[in-house]
């Protein structure tokens, strides 16, 4: 099994954390979908990472499909409950955390354009999604240990990747001081080897 990803992608990191939590061996292949020589578009018509190549020749994307596949591949460290109703509740949380990452990635892309081509309106539109998302999550998390309930789950993995990505690319948002419960939650996640081992490179 091979995972094609960029080491700065929050979605790729989510998959790498799931692999580590579930102790699944997988070869990592770094690819940058933004460069002309990338093989990403040949494997995923959307031209996005992460992509999982299975030993039987199948190709899986996107990250939500991949983590669902991985969680069902091994009973070790289950991250999605087997009860369907509970599973949907965890996946809804994953979708919300991923959506914040999507907005942050779009802001980052917009800011990398020539200054005269950047749209302040577009950036503010994406920032509003991030702000609404964080507020909603902070309210749901409240003083609980984990976002999805009593047990560590995929919701916590996705949220940890999103918060780390905001720190990495949009540090000026300063979510830590505004949401102390998210900060407390994040400090707990940072103690897990799966998180420390997958931190984005300092670039
Ligand atoms: N919904 C996708 C999002 C993946 C995504 O946006 N990946 C970014 C890197 S963080 C990418 O490959 N972007 C290249 C592009 O948009 O052309 C997932 O969960 O895997």
């Amino acid at each position: 099994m091979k995972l094609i990803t960029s080491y700065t992608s929050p979605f790729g990191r989510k998959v790498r954390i799931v692999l580590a939590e579930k102790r699944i061996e997988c070869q990592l292949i770094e690819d940058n979908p933004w460069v002309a020589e990338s093989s990403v578009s040949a494997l995923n018509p959307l031209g996005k990472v992460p992509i999982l190549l299975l030993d039987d020749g199948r190709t899986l994307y996107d990250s939500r499909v991949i983590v669902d596949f991985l969680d069902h591949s091994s009973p070790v460290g289950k991250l999605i409950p087997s009860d369907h109703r509970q599973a949907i509740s965890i996946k809804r949380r994953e979708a919300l955390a991923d959506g914040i990452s999507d907005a942050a990635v779009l802001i980052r892309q917009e800011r990398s354009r020539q200054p005269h081509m950047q749209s302040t309106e577009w950036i503010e539109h994406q920032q509003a999604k991030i702000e609404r998302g964080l507020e909603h999550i902070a309210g749901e998390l409240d003083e609980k240990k984990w976002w999805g309930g009593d047990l560590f789950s995929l919701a916590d993995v996705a949220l940890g990747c999103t918060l780390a990505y905001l720190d990495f690319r949009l540090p000026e948002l300063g979510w830590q001081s505004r949401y102390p419960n998210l900060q407390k939650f994040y400090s707990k996640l940072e103690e897990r080897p799966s998180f420390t081992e997958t931190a984005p490179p300092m670039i």
Side-chain angles (χ1 to χ4, degrees):
M1 210 159 57
K2 294 177 184 154
L3 178 69
I4 300 178
T5 190
S6 107
Y7 291 141
T8 55
S9 166
F11 311 101
R13 187 177 186 193
K14 184 178 64 175
V15 174
R16 289 162 60 213
I17 290 171
V18 168
L19 285 165
E21 290 285 341
K22 298 186 65 66
R23 315 228 184 293
I24 297 174
E25 289 294 324
C26 182
Q27 183 186 344
L28 291 186
I29 300 176
E30 191 175 12
D31 201 332
N32 176 354
W34 296 100
V35 298
E37 58 273 19
S38 167
S39 59
V40 169
S41 296
L43 296 165
N44 173 1
L46 300 174
K48 294 185 179 191
V49 289
I51 301 167
L52 189 69
L53 304 181
L54 301 183
D55 294 338
D56 63 9
R58 282 180 294 164
T59 302
L60 298 185
Y61 47 81
D62 62 4
S63 68
R64 280 181 240 171
V65 173
I66 296 172
V67 295
D68 195 318
F69 169 82
L70 292 174
D71 201 47
H72 286 86
S73 302
S74 157
V76 175
K78 281 297 280 177
L79 293 166
I80 303 172
S82 33
D83 175 78
H84 189 244
R85 198 183 169 91
Q86 286 174 23
I88 290 297
S89 150
I90 295 299
K91 283 163 170 280
R92 193 267 302 163
R93 286 170 168 79
E94 179 192 19
L96 179 52
D98 281 6
I100 295 175
S101 292
D102 278 327
V105 167
L106 288 174
I107 291 174
R108 158 101 181 147
Q109 286 169 5
E110 188 69 8
R111 286 185 178 160
S112 66
R113 284 151 57 94
Q114 300 269 345
H116 71 279
M117 294 176 77
Q118 293 180 26
S119 162
T120 309
E121 199 184 3
W122 174 250
I123 291 175
E124 285 173 358
H125 185 67
Q126 299 307 325
Q127 264 168 355
K129 294 176 196 288
I130 297 175
E131 293 302 338
R132 285 194 304 267
L134 288 178
E135 180 142 356
H136 188 90
I137 294 171
E140 278 191 354
L141 178 65
D142 200 16
E143 293 308 319
K144 295 201 299 285
K145 184 171 180 193
W146 303 120
W147 184 18
D150 294 338
L151 300 177
F152 178 74
S153 76
L154 180 59
D156 304 305
V157 176
L159 178 54
C161 293
T162 295
L163 295 174
Y165 190 75
L166 294 179
D167 267 356
F168 181 49
R169 294 301 197 202
L170 306 175
E172 69 280 6
L173 288 184
W175 59 267
Q176 296 91 334
S177 52
R178 289 185 294 132
Y179 300 107
N181 66 335
L182 290 184
Q183 170 62 52
K184 197 169 148 200
F185 162 86
Y186 187 63
S187 305
K188 279 199 303 281
L189 283 183
E190 279 184 311
E191 292 166 6
R192 298 180 88 89
S194 61
F195 273 79
T196 47
E197 287 159 10
T198 55
M202 286 298 132
I203 50 171

